[in-house]
Amino acid sequence: MIRVAAVGDVHVGADSVGRVRPHLEQVAGEADLLLLAGDLTRVGEPEEAAVLVEELRGADVPVVAVLGNHDYHAGQEQVVAGMLEDGGVRVLEGEGVVVETRSGPVGVAGAKGFGGGFAGACGSDFGEPLMKAFVRHTRAVADGLEKALAGLAADVRIALLHYAPTETTLQGERLEIYPFLGSYLLGEAVDRAGASVVLHGHAHAGTEKGFTPGGIPVRNVAQPVLRRPYNVYCFTAGGETGCDGASRA
Amino acid sequence: MSEVEQASPEPDSYVCERVRRALAADPRVGELGITVRVVGRRAFVSGSVATPERRQAISTVVTEVLPAYEVQNDVAVTPLEPGSEIEMLG
Ligand SMILES: [Fe+2]
Ligand SMILES: [Fe+2]
């Protein structure tokens, strides 16, 4: 059995020193891998990334992450990602990695994702250049995710996002902001490529458990939703849970 | 307070959004998910943040943006229960 710990939206700042690390000291006893679903920092300053790297030293398992919109705010996302990589965290954007954990291989395809909304109420590639650019960006990110997922040679394949791939994990958020919280294009990409689960954050007021239209489980692991340091998801190697109906959620 | 303000009071919704913009943009806070409500000369802020320092910074910023308002800070520091939930997915 492979155990995957996941959390997003830890929003680490200079004021977080010593606050995250104590929660991560048990992770090696509970999980084989730790996934971070974006909004790792408060506003994406390198100083904040330095605090995060230091706090993550408490976690004695491989760590894979995607960035979130907060990690882009200061315009230093490349620096932040580089500092995390130097600190031993694999940061994914439109790419996949198979992590050889002590319990077996786990494939992770990661992307920040983007907004746009959900089927029946989403932005269209139409009109002003800015509107087209917005929708095309989400489509490009979704295409990258699909390719990365499809290329993962592992029985357990996880899609790691910041933005939501479905509205089913947004219950509790205001309907008016759904288009800023995620896009159905991300869910469609996952349903096409197949996955064991999709993990995302970003929707602090949403709910943990949902599913894609194709029936793949989706978990919103934003820390304000979990109200725990992280949750742990377990997989028996060899079994895919996707594409067999929404009843699993 | 000023005569200009009395002549054309700013609608509460604009006041709220001015505060929300400041909470997102101010480097001491950087939060998007804070709810702001204004009733008369009182401002109420709610939501949750990761640290007590950030909660305090929200009071500071709202008071700077709305010096004539009484500010009630109902923002919580995200409570973390110990331990994790474990779920079998496959
Ligand atoms: Fe967040
Ligand atoms: Fe976010």
Side-chain angles (χ1 to χ4, degrees):
Chain A
M1 182 158 71
I2 296 169
R3 303 161 305 163
V4 178
V7 66
D9 300 85
V10 289
H11 290 253
V12 162
D15 53 357
S16 304
V17 174
R19 288 214 167 93
V20 179
R21 188 171 182 143
H23 293 302
L24 295 177
E25 275 161 1
Q26 290 92 19
V27 73
E30 295 185 334
D32 306 302
L33 173 67
L34 172 63
L35 301 181
L36 302 175
D39 280 2
L40 312 176
T41 62
R42 205 180 51 111
V43 290
E45 293 285 359
E47 297 73 27
E48 298 172 346
V51 173
L52 177 62
V53 166
E54 211 41 54
E55 295 295 307
L56 286 173
R57 290 196 202 286
D60 202 13
V61 291
V63 184
V64 179
V66 295
L67 299 185
N69 55 319
H70 278 251
D71 307 313
Y72 275 70
H73 183 66
Q76 306 253 40
E77 66 276 4
Q78 307 277 9
V79 177
V80 166
M83 291 173 70
L84 288 168
E85 289 271 354
D86 289 345
V89 178
R90 188 74 180 82
V91 182
L92 302 176
E93 180 50 50
E95 55 201 318
V97 62
V98 176
V99 184
E100 296 295 339
T101 75
R102 61 195 163 188
S103 301
V106 180
V108 185
K112 175 179 61 62
F114 202 48
F118 299 92
C122 55
S124 298
D125 187 355
F126 184 91
E128 303 90 327
L130 269 177
M131 193 64 210
K132 288 176 182 158
F134 180 88
V135 174
R136 284 175 190 172
H137 178 62
T138 307
R139 191 174 293 281
V141 169
D143 287 348
L145 176 71
E146 184 179 340
K147 284 197 189 79
L149 258 180
L152 289 176
D155 288 332
V156 177
R157 299 190 304 147
I158 297 174
L160 179 62
L161 294 166
H162 181 59
Y163 285 79
T166 163
E167 64 271 56
T168 56
T169 46
L170 302 184
Q171 308 297 318
E173 295 281 3
R174 285 179 62 167
L175 264 176
E176 300 94 313
I177 67 168
Y178 276 24
F180 302 115
L181 295 178
S183 165
Y184 84 96
L185 293 169
L186 302 167
E188 187 182 47
V190 173
D191 279 331
R192 279 208 197 108
S196 311
V197 68
V198 191
L199 303 172
H200 75 88
H202 192 50
H204 293 204
T207 47
E208 184 193 2
K209 296 182 183 180
F211 44 86
T212 65
I216 293 175
V218 177
R219 297 293 178 264
N220 175 0
V221 296
Q223 197 163 56
V225 170
L226 300 184
R227 291 173 166 254
R228 294 175 186 278
Y230 48 81
N231 274 355
V232 177
Y233 304 98
C234 302
F235 307 88
T236 47
E240 284 241 329
T241 63
C243 305
D244 63 350
S247 60
R248 275 192 180 271
Chain B
M1 277 220 282
S2 72
E3 283 172 40
V4 176
E5 252 179 295
Q6 280 169 5
S8 57
E10 185 182 11
D12 285 349
S13 62
Y14 295 164
V15 175
C16 289
E17 214 43 47
R18 202 147 55 82
V19 173
R20 279 169 42 84
R21 277 203 309 272
L23 292 175
D26 193 289
R28 292 166 292 181
V29 179
E31 294 286 343
L32 294 178
I34 303 300
T35 302
V36 182
R37 206 162 51 90
V38 163
V39 180
R41 286 277 151 166
R42 299 175 74 193
F44 301 83
V45 287
S46 58
S48 73
V49 294
T51 68
E53 287 83 354
R54 247 168 275 177
R55 180 185 180 282
Q56 187 52 47
I58 287 171
S59 286
T60 305
V61 170
V62 179
T63 305
E64 286 174 12
V65 176
L66 302 178
Y69 285 64
E70 182 191 321
V71 176
Q72 178 157 334
N73 185 347
D74 295 322
V75 173
V77 177
T78 304
L80 292 189
E81 292 168 44
S84 52
E85 272 180 14
I86 298 166
E87 184 186 9
M88 274 304 302
L89 276 175

